[in-house]
Amino acid sequence: MIVPAYNEEAVLGRCLEALVTQTVPAEEIIVVDNNSADRTAEVAEAFCEHGVRVVRETRQGAVHARNRGFDEAGGDVLGRIDADTMVGPEWVGRLAESFAPDARTGTRPDAVTGPSWFYDIPMRRTGLVAHRFFCHRLNRLLSGHPMLWGSNMALSRECWRRVRGHTCAQPGMWEDLDLAVHLSRLGLRVRYVDGLRVPVSARRIGASVRDLYSYLRAWPYTYRLHGQRRAAYGAALCLLIGIVLLRPCSLLVRLHTPYDGHLSLSRLFRRSSAVSRPLP
């Protein structure tokens, strides 16, 4: 299991606590510290007695941290989540089951992914429905191939070996979308498993409009980078619509006190502390 992390001391402990208490234990858990300036590495090292291994990647960027983690891993299935993902106790077992051969064709997937919901805001069912649509169904409609969700995905070791040299490292792109594009071009199979759900933080949605736009513009940029003009135009249009729709959601996120379910008006006037990481 690979967890790229950059300045994630506030959420990493919960993530690792969930990973080390799985009903089917993970063979290995690797935290890739990507030049964090806070206590990220210290938080991760506190779990070393539970089998967590900390490696450091000095090249800045999620793609470099992800690649370092996949390269370091020794298992047959290489799982990857974000530092603010809090998987349920059955997640590792379900992930292993998701790589079973298809009952009709007998083929195994090369990669597996699933949806998410937001654990630190109300209306979780609505968040799950929105995530299914915007992250998975809409991207498949735009591009013609499955999407990978960086907070909830896994590749077989052979799949990573084949795709490793094809992935891009340009700044400003979505590394999970880039990976999905190259898997499709290589003819590798991505299996979407709706039951493989994980809760993630909605902190990005609570950011300012400028910060949210700065993050979301990587969506059409990634498609343009790969010459997928139709998908890029569609993503750009959806980005503009999404900014309008997400603004009221942003206010709700900022009002909501994470983890305890309360609303706090004072939070609305605080500067957002959202940090960069992939979200739908």
Side-chain angles (χ1 to χ4, degrees), residues 159-273:
C159 175
W160 177 241
R161 186 192 66 79
R162 292 182 61 185
V163 77
R164 174 68 168 87
H166 297 271
T167 57
C168 303
Q170 281 87 338
M173 69 170 190
W174 280 355
E175 48 87 17
D176 48 1
L177 179 54
D178 167 74
L179 187 56
V181 170
H182 291 292
L183 289 179
S184 174
R185 290 179 175 177
L186 291 172
L188 298 170
R189 298 175 295 277
V190 176
R191 177 181 289 174
Y192 170 80
V193 180
D194 191 68
L196 190 70
R197 304 172 183 178
V198 300
V200 298
S201 174
R203 56 188 174 159
R204 170 65 68 183
I205 300 175
S208 67
V209 172
R210 184 176 68 176
D211 289 344
L212 186 60
Y213 173 76
S214 178
Y215 167 72
L216 288 176
R217 67 183 179 183
W219 185 12
Y221 171 72
T222 305
Y223 280 129
R224 289 198 304 271
L225 184 66
H226 295 86
Q228 297 183 334
R229 293 186 178 181
R230 175 178 170 273
Y233 290 141
L237 177 60
C238 292
L239 183 159
L240 297 176
I241 296 173
I243 290 292
V244 174
L245 294 178
L246 285 174
R247 185 52 182 163
C249 297
S250 174
L251 297 177
L252 178 62
V253 170
R254 296 186 68 177
L255 279 169
H256 192 260
T257 304
Y259 316 117
D260 63 12
H262 298 150
L263 296 178
S264 173
L265 189 61
S266 63
R267 286 177 55 83
L268 187 63
F269 303 100
R270 295 179 190 173
R271 180 176 176 81
S272 171
S273 60

